[in-house]
Amino acid sequence: MEPSTSGGRRIITRAAELDFAFSDLPTRPLEVRVLMADPTHFDVLYVINPHMAGNVGNVDRGLARRQWESVRDAYASVGFPIEVVDAVAGLPDLVFMANQSFPGQLPNGRWAAILSYMHSPERRPEVDVVAAWYRARGAHTVHLSDPTLPFEGMGDVAWVPGRRAIVGGYGFRTHADAYPELATLFDVPVLTLKLVDERFYHLDTCLQIIDDRTALYVPCAFNQEGIELLQQAFPRLVEIPEEEAAVGLACNGHSPDGRHFIVHRGARRTVAAVRSLGLTPIEVDTGEFIKSGGSVYCMKLMVP
Ligand code: ARG
C-alpha cells in the first residue's frame, strides 16, 4: 500500500503538531556499512563536555585500541562491513565519527552528506578529513547555507530507521536553526528536541531510536515539551535509568539492525530493558572513550 502521507516538509516541536505516525511515512533504505576512524591518536587533550573533566592525559591508548576493536568486531559480528578512516595526529576526537557529518538520501534518490560545523574550534579540522573520505567515494557533500552555524551531524540528528523523517536535538552542540534547512534539503518532517542537561550534550547520549515505533530515552535530558513529543511519536518509548545513561552512556548504545543492541558493558537495567523489547544485547567495553564523553553510537557512522 502507498504511504498515506509524506508528513510534510516542516519542523515539529510539540506533540499536538504531530499528525502522523512514522509507520505511515514513505520508506527509505537502511545504511548498510559502518565507518570508523583509527584510534591511534585518540586522547583527552581538552575539556568540551562534563565527561572529559578530570580525564586530560588519562587515556590508556593500548586499552583504547583493544576497546575500539571490540566495537568494530561487534558490528562485524552482526553482518556490517567496516570501513576505517586513517587517524590524524592532533585530532584526538576524530574517532567519534558520528559527529562530522549527517548522510542521507535526497528526494532525487542521490545520497548526500551534510558536513558539520563543530561547536568547538578544536574539532573543526575533523570535518575536512571526513569530507575527503566522502569525495573520494563520489558522494555529494553539502554545507548548510550558513557554514558557521553549529551542527554536529549524527551526534544530534537521527533518521527514523526505515522512514523519511528526522529527529534532531539542539541546545549544546547544534543550533535549532539548522533544522528548517534539513527539512527542505531532504523534504522530510523534522521533530526537534531541546537538550537541557549538560551531561547529555548530544541527542545520541539520551535518545536511541530502535525502529519506527520504538525508542530508548533519558527523560531528564529533555524538557516537558520534548518528553510529550517523544511519547506521541514512539508508541514504545522506554526510559533508561539516568545513572546508567550518565555514567556508562547506556543510551549511546546502538541497534544497527533493529535486532541487536551494542552497548557499553554493565548497564544492567538497560540490558534488561532491551531484552524485554526482544533485542539481543551485545556488551562491549568502551571505558576509555567514555572518559571523552562518547561510547558505541558515536564511535561510528552508518553509511549507505
Ligand atoms: N569528546 C567528544 C566531544 O565532546 C565526544 C563526542 C562523542 N560523540 C557523541 N556523538 N556523543 O565532542
PDB file of all heavy atoms in Angstrom, residues 48-49 52 93 96 99 123 155 173 201-202 204-205 292-294 298, ligand 1:
ATOM      1  N   ILE A  48      35.568  19.638  26.596  1.00  0.00           N
ATOM      2  CA  ILE A  48      34.449  20.311  25.926  1.00  0.00           C
ATOM      3  C   ILE A  48      33.113  19.672  26.300  1.00  0.00           C
ATOM      4  O   ILE A  48      32.087  20.013  25.734  1.00  0.00           O
ATOM      5  CB  ILE A  48      34.642  20.344  24.382  1.00  0.00           C
ATOM      6  CG1 ILE A  48      34.822  18.928  23.811  1.00  0.00           C
ATOM      7  CG2 ILE A  48      35.822  21.234  24.005  1.00  0.00           C
ATOM      8  CD1 ILE A  48      34.831  18.890  22.272  1.00  0.00           C
ATOM      9  N   ASN A  49      33.145  18.721  27.232  1.00  0.00           N
ATOM     10  CA  ASN A  49      31.899  18.204  27.812  1.00  0.00           C
ATOM     11  C   ASN A  49      32.223  17.739  29.230  1.00  0.00           C
ATOM     12  O   ASN A  49      33.406  17.514  29.546  1.00  0.00           O
ATOM     13  CB  ASN A  49      31.304  17.090  26.924  1.00  0.00           C
ATOM     14  CG  ASN A  49      32.129  15.817  26.937  1.00  0.00           C
ATOM     15  OD1 ASN A  49      32.394  15.243  27.993  1.00  0.00           O
ATOM     16  ND2 ASN A  49      32.549  15.368  25.765  1.00  0.00           N
ATOM     17  N   MET A  52      34.669  14.805  30.148  1.00  0.00           N
ATOM     18  CA  MET A  52      36.119  14.916  29.903  1.00  0.00           C
ATOM     19  C   MET A  52      36.850  15.542  31.096  1.00  0.00           C
ATOM     20  O   MET A  52      38.061  15.366  31.236  1.00  0.00           O
ATOM     21  CB  MET A  52      36.379  15.751  28.640  1.00  0.00           C
ATOM     22  CG  MET A  52      35.792  15.136  27.374  1.00  0.00           C
ATOM     23  SD  MET A  52      35.855  16.239  25.936  1.00  0.00           S
ATOM     24  CE  MET A  52      37.395  15.718  25.151  1.00  0.00           C
ATOM     25  N   ASP A  93      39.637  13.584  18.810  1.00  0.00           N
ATOM     26  CA  ASP A  93      38.207  13.241  18.796  1.00  0.00           C
ATOM     27  C   ASP A  93      37.712  12.783  17.421  1.00  0.00           C
ATOM     28  O   ASP A  93      36.526  12.503  17.256  1.00  0.00           O
ATOM     29  CB  ASP A  93      37.367  14.454  19.244  1.00  0.00           C
ATOM     30  CG  ASP A  93      37.271  14.582  20.767  1.00  0.00           C
ATOM     31  OD1 ASP A  93      37.437  13.550  21.459  1.00  0.00           O
ATOM     32  OD2 ASP A  93      37.006  15.693  21.247  1.00  0.00           O
ATOM     33  N   PHE A  96      35.327   9.874  16.998  1.00  0.00           N
ATOM     34  CA  PHE A  96      33.872   9.946  17.182  1.00  0.00           C
ATOM     35  C   PHE A  96      33.227  10.309  15.840  1.00  0.00           C
ATOM     36  O   PHE A  96      32.835  11.446  15.583  1.00  0.00           O
ATOM     37  CB  PHE A  96      33.514  10.932  18.297  1.00  0.00           C
ATOM     38  CG  PHE A  96      34.055  10.486  19.630  1.00  0.00           C
ATOM     39  CD1 PHE A  96      35.085  11.176  20.259  1.00  0.00           C
ATOM     40  CD2 PHE A  96      33.565   9.342  20.244  1.00  0.00           C
ATOM     41  CE1 PHE A  96      35.598  10.744  21.470  1.00  0.00           C
ATOM     42  CE2 PHE A  96      34.075   8.895  21.460  1.00  0.00           C
ATOM     43  CZ  PHE A  96      35.095   9.604  22.068  1.00  0.00           C
ATOM     44  N   ASN A  99      29.988  12.513  14.440  1.00  0.00           N
ATOM     45  CA  ASN A  99      29.803  13.953  14.624  1.00  0.00           C
ATOM     46  C   ASN A  99      30.107  14.868  13.440  1.00  0.00           C
ATOM     47  O   ASN A  99      29.644  16.001  13.398  1.00  0.00           O
ATOM     48  CB  ASN A  99      30.641  14.437  15.810  1.00  0.00           C
ATOM     49  CG  ASN A  99      30.318  13.699  17.096  1.00  0.00           C
ATOM     50  OD1 ASN A  99      31.111  13.687  18.012  1.00  0.00           O
ATOM     51  ND2 ASN A  99      29.157  13.065  17.173  1.00  0.00           N
ATOM     52  N   ARG A 123      37.750  20.807  17.287  1.00  0.00           N
ATOM     53  CA  ARG A 123      37.256  19.692  16.473  1.00  0.00           C
ATOM     54  C   ARG A 123      36.981  20.080  15.019  1.00  0.00           C
ATOM     55  O   ARG A 123      36.681  19.211  14.207  1.00  0.00           O
ATOM     56  CB  ARG A 123      35.989  19.088  17.102  1.00  0.00           C
ATOM     57  CG  ARG A 123      36.227  18.435  18.467  1.00  0.00           C
ATOM     58  CD  ARG A 123      35.121  17.456  18.828  1.00  0.00           C
ATOM     59  NE  ARG A 123      35.031  16.352  17.880  1.00  0.00           N
ATOM     60  CZ  ARG A 123      34.101  15.422  17.885  1.00  0.00           C
ATOM     61  NH1 ARG A 123      33.163  15.429  18.801  1.00  0.00           N
ATOM     62  NH2 ARG A 123      34.091  14.450  16.980  1.00  0.00           N
ATOM     63  N   GLY A 155      25.640  13.141  15.775  1.00  0.00           N
ATOM     64  CA  GLY A 155      25.637  13.278  17.230  1.00  0.00           C
ATOM     65  C   GLY A 155      24.294  13.813  17.704  1.00  0.00           C
ATOM     66  O   GLY A 155      23.793  13.432  18.763  1.00  0.00           O
ATOM     67  N   ARG A 173      25.368  21.596  21.150  1.00  0.00           N
ATOM     68  CA  ARG A 173      26.319  21.481  20.038  1.00  0.00           C
ATOM     69  C   ARG A 173      25.734  21.921  18.696  1.00  0.00           C
ATOM     70  O   ARG A 173      26.470  22.325  17.807  1.00  0.00           O
ATOM     71  CB  ARG A 173      26.814  20.040  19.930  1.00  0.00           C
ATOM     72  CG  ARG A 173      27.537  19.529  21.175  1.00  0.00           C
ATOM     73  CD  ARG A 173      28.812  20.330  21.424  1.00  0.00           C
ATOM     74  NE  ARG A 173      29.604  19.762  22.497  1.00  0.00           N
ATOM     75  CZ  ARG A 173      30.508  18.789  22.361  1.00  0.00           C
ATOM     76  NH1 ARG A 173      30.722  18.269  21.180  1.00  0.00           N
ATOM     77  NH2 ARG A 173      31.187  18.353  23.391  1.00  0.00           N
ATOM     78  N   TYR A 201      24.788  16.078  26.244  1.00  0.00           N
ATOM     79  CA  TYR A 201      25.015  17.242  25.379  1.00  0.00           C
ATOM     80  C   TYR A 201      24.738  16.956  23.915  1.00  0.00           C
ATOM     81  O   TYR A 201      24.614  17.866  23.115  1.00  0.00           O
ATOM     82  CB  TYR A 201      26.467  17.735  25.564  1.00  0.00           C
ATOM     83  CG  TYR A 201      27.489  16.682  25.215  1.00  0.00           C
ATOM     84  CD1 TYR A 201      28.071  16.650  23.955  1.00  0.00           C
ATOM     85  CD2 TYR A 201      27.822  15.682  26.127  1.00  0.00           C
ATOM     86  CE1 TYR A 201      28.963  15.658  23.608  1.00  0.00           C
ATOM     87  CE2 TYR A 201      28.706  14.682  25.785  1.00  0.00           C
ATOM     88  CZ  TYR A 201      29.279  14.670  24.532  1.00  0.00           C
ATOM     89  OH  TYR A 201      30.150  13.679  24.180  1.00  0.00           O
ATOM     90  N   HIS A 202      24.712  15.680  23.546  1.00  0.00           N
ATOM     91  CA  HIS A 202      24.341  15.272  22.181  1.00  0.00           C
ATOM     92  C   HIS A 202      23.073  14.435  22.280  1.00  0.00           C
ATOM     93  O   HIS A 202      22.926  13.638  23.214  1.00  0.00           O
ATOM     94  CB  HIS A 202      25.408  14.358  21.565  1.00  0.00           C
ATOM     95  CG  HIS A 202      26.500  15.046  20.813  1.00  0.00           C
ATOM     96  ND1 HIS A 202      27.792  14.560  20.778  1.00  0.00           N
ATOM     97  CD2 HIS A 202      26.499  16.151  20.015  1.00  0.00           C
ATOM     98  CE1 HIS A 202      28.544  15.345  20.012  1.00  0.00           C
ATOM     99  NE2 HIS A 202      27.787  16.318  19.545  1.00  0.00           N
ATOM    100  N   ASP A 204      22.430  11.792  20.818  1.00  0.00           N
ATOM    101  CA  ASP A 204      22.723  10.344  20.845  1.00  0.00           C
ATOM    102  C   ASP A 204      23.163   9.838  22.212  1.00  0.00           C
ATOM    103  O   ASP A 204      23.449   8.656  22.375  1.00  0.00           O
ATOM    104  CB  ASP A 204      23.733   9.960  19.748  1.00  0.00           C
ATOM    105  CG  ASP A 204      25.149  10.471  20.006  1.00  0.00           C
ATOM    106  OD1 ASP A 204      25.438  11.005  21.090  1.00  0.00           O
ATOM    107  OD2 ASP A 204      25.985  10.322  19.091  1.00  0.00           O
ATOM    108  N   THR A 205      23.239  10.747  23.204  1.00  0.00           N
ATOM    109  CA  THR A 205      23.518  10.296  24.572  1.00  0.00           C
ATOM    110  C   THR A 205      22.230  10.080  25.372  1.00  0.00           C
ATOM    111  O   THR A 205      22.277   9.536  26.470  1.00  0.00           O
ATOM    112  CB  THR A 205      24.388  11.316  25.346  1.00  0.00           C
ATOM    113  OG1 THR A 205      23.660  12.553  25.455  1.00  0.00           O
ATOM    114  CG2 THR A 205      25.716  11.575  24.645  1.00  0.00           C
ATOM    115  N   SER A 292      36.011  10.516  27.358  1.00  0.00           N
ATOM    116  CA  SER A 292      35.904  11.646  26.439  1.00  0.00           C
ATOM    117  C   SER A 292      34.444  12.017  26.173  1.00  0.00           C
ATOM    118  O   SER A 292      34.153  12.927  25.400  1.00  0.00           O
ATOM    119  CB  SER A 292      36.598  11.289  25.117  1.00  0.00           C
ATOM    120  OG  SER A 292      36.651  12.410  24.269  1.00  0.00           O
ATOM    121  N   GLY A 293      33.518  11.269  26.796  1.00  0.00           N
ATOM    122  CA  GLY A 293      32.094  11.585  26.618  1.00  0.00           C
ATOM    123  C   GLY A 293      31.449  10.849  25.460  1.00  0.00           C
ATOM    124  O   GLY A 293      30.386  11.259  24.982  1.00  0.00           O
ATOM    125  N   GLY A 294      32.059   9.758  25.000  1.00  0.00           N
ATOM    126  CA  GLY A 294      31.463   9.017  23.885  1.00  0.00           C
ATOM    127  C   GLY A 294      31.500   7.520  24.109  1.00  0.00           C
ATOM    128  O   GLY A 294      32.341   7.019  24.864  1.00  0.00           O
ATOM    129  N   CYS A 298      28.533   6.870  19.054  1.00  0.00           N
ATOM    130  CA  CYS A 298      29.285   7.983  18.452  1.00  0.00           C
ATOM    131  C   CYS A 298      30.643   7.565  17.912  1.00  0.00           C
ATOM    132  O   CYS A 298      31.311   8.359  17.254  1.00  0.00           O
ATOM    133  CB  CYS A 298      29.372   9.177  19.374  1.00  0.00           C
ATOM    134  SG  CYS A 298      29.739   8.825  21.045  1.00  0.00           S
TER     135      CYS A 298
HETATM  136  N1  ARG B   1      34.955  14.348  23.133  1.00  0.00           N
HETATM  137  C1  ARG B   1      33.936  14.354  22.130  1.00  0.00           C
HETATM  138  C2  ARG B   1      33.190  15.675  22.175  1.00  0.00           C
HETATM  139  O1  ARG B   1      32.922  16.157  23.243  1.00  0.00           O
HETATM  140  C3  ARG B   1      32.999  13.198  22.319  1.00  0.00           C
HETATM  141  C4  ARG B   1      31.935  13.122  21.267  1.00  0.00           C
HETATM  142  C5  ARG B   1      31.020  11.987  21.473  1.00  0.00           C
HETATM  143  N2  ARG B   1      30.096  11.931  20.414  1.00  0.00           N
HETATM  144  C6  ARG B   1      28.779  11.769  20.514  1.00  0.00           C
HETATM  145  N3  ARG B   1      28.082  11.736  19.424  1.00  0.00           N
HETATM  146  N4  ARG B   1      28.186  11.724  21.676  1.00  0.00           N
HETATM  147  O2  ARG B   1      32.857  16.251  21.174  1.00  0.00           O
END
